[in-house]
C-alpha cells in the first residue's frame, strides 16, 4: 500500500549526491515524500542535471544576479518554493548561508545534512578538523535548520570510525556513504514521526 506523499523541495549548490539519495528513496511508493522541486543557486550545479535526468522540476536562481542583496535572492527562492507546493525543504549541499528571512519562513520544515557529528565541527572543512582533533569517531548529522549555523535540533546521526592512515578525502568518502543512508531515513522519520523509523541506532555505525 502506498503512503500519502508530502511534497518536498531540495536546495543544492553542487554535485548533488545527497539529493540523488533522496530522489532515489522518494521513488519508492512507500516513501512519504515526493520531490516537487530541485532548486540551485548555481546554474552549473551537476545536481541540477541529475534531477533533470530523473524527470524532476528544476530551477536555478543565481545568487550573483542579486549582487549583495541576499534578502532579494531569498525572497525569490521562497517564492519558488511556495509555487512548487513544497511543505518541507531539504538542504543538500546548499552552500549559501541563510538569513533569518528564510530560516523563519521555513522554521520546523527545513532540514540540513552536515558532515560531522554535531555539535562538533560546525561550518566548513569538517574532515580536516576531525583528523586534526584526533577524534576516533566522526560522522554526519541531519538537523532542523535554525538561524544559527548548524545548530538546530538533531534528527539523526550516523557515525564512522576514524582509521589509521585516514586522509580528509578517505574520511569524507566514508562519511558520505553514511550520509546517503541517513538523509532518507531522517526525512522519512521527520515526515511520519513514527518511532519505528527513528534513524538513531538504525543508522549508527560504531567502530
Ligand atoms: C555533503 O557532505 C553534505 O553533508 C554537505 O555538503 C556536501 C554535499 O555533497 N552539507 P553532495 O552535493 O550532496 O554530494
Amino acid at each position: 500500500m502506498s503512503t500519502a506523499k508530502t511534497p518536498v523541495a531540495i536546495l543544492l549548490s553542487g554535485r548533488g549526491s545527497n539529493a540523488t539519495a533522496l530522489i532515489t528513496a522518494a521513488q519508492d511508493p512507500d516513501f512519504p515524500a515526493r520531490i516537487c522541486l530541485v532548486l540551485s543557486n548555481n546554474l552549473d550545479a551537476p545536481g541540477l542535471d541529475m534531477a533533470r535526468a530523473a524527470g524532476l522540476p528544476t530551477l536555478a536562481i543565481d545568487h550573483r544576479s542579486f549582487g549583495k542583496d541576499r534578502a532579494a535572492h531569498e525572497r525569490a527562492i521562497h517564492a519558488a518554493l511556495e509555487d512548487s507546493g513544497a511543505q518541507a525543504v531539504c538542504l543538500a549541499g546548499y552552500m549559501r548561508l541563510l538569513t533569518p528571512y528564510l530560516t523563519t519562513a521555513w522554521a520546523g520544515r527545513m532540514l540540513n545534512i552536515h558532515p560531522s557529528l554535531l555539535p562538533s565541527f560546525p561550518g566548513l572543512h569538517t574532515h580536516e578538523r576531525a583528523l586534526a582533533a584526533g577524534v576516533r569517531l566522526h560522522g554526519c548529522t541531519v538537523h532542523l535548520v535554525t538561524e544559527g549555523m548548524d545548530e538546530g535540533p538533531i534528527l539523526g546521526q550516523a557515525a564512522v570510525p576514524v582509521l589509521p592512515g585516514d586522509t580528509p578525502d578517505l574520511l569524507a568518502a566514508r562519511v558520505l556513504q553514511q550520509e546517503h543512508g541517513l538523509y532518507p531515513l531522517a526525512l522519512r522519520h521527520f515526515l511520519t514521526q513514527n518511532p519505528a523509523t527513528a534513524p538513531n541506532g538504525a543508522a549508527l555505525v560504531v567502530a
Side-chain angles (χ1 to χ4, degrees):
M1 192 182 68
S2 65
T3 318
K5 284 176 172 275
T6 302
V8 172
I10 297 174
L11 257 60
L12 57 77
S13 300
R15 76 189 153 185
S17 70
N18 278 289
T20 301
L22 292 170
I23 288 167
T24 303
Q27 285 166 350
D28 181 339
D30 289 328
F31 194 78
R34 69 176 173 84
I35 306 305
C36 59
L37 178 66
V38 177
L39 199 165
S40 182
N41 64 308
N42 173 11
L43 305 177
D44 302 322
L48 280 181
D49 295 333
M50 174 279 299
R52 268 183 222 112
L56 294 172
T58 62
L59 190 61
I61 304 180
D62 187 352
H63 63 276
R64 288 167 302 193
S65 58
F66 292 83
K68 288 195 162 63
D69 194 348
R70 302 176 70 85
H73 182 238
E74 287 198 351
R75 279 197 299 276
I77 287 183
H78 181 59
L81 292 172
E82 295 265 64
D83 283 353
S84 76
Q87 291 178 24
V89 177
C90 287
L91 305 184
Y94 185 68
M95 299 305 286
R96 301 284 297 167
L97 283 177
L98 302 182
T99 78
Y101 171 75
L102 215 51
T103 58
T104 302
W106 290 90
R109 304 185 292 158
M110 183 179 270
L111 286 65
N112 182 43
I113 187 154
H114 180 77
S116 78
L117 294 173
L118 291 171
S120 294
F121 313 121
L124 296 175
H125 309 300
T126 56
H127 309 302
E128 287 88 338
R129 289 158 60 207
L131 287 175
V135 296
R136 304 297 299 275
L137 287 173
H138 185 44
C140 50
T141 302
V142 174
H143 63 96
L144 284 174
V145 174
T146 54
E147 194 178 333
M149 189 183 59
D150 303 328
E151 280 182 9
I154 290 171
L155 301 176
Q157 293 187 306
V160 301
V162 178
L163 299 178
D166 259 348
T167 63
D169 284 351
L170 287 171
L171 188 53
R174 198 175 308 120
V175 170
L176 191 64
Q177 196 180 7
Q178 292 301 314
E179 293 183 35
H180 298 160
L182 177 66
Y183 213 169
L185 276 179
L187 177 61
R188 174 191 287 277
H189 180 61
F190 173 75
L191 293 174
T192 61
Q193 300 295 329
N194 177 355
T197 62
N200 288 317
L204 190 68
V205 179
V206 181

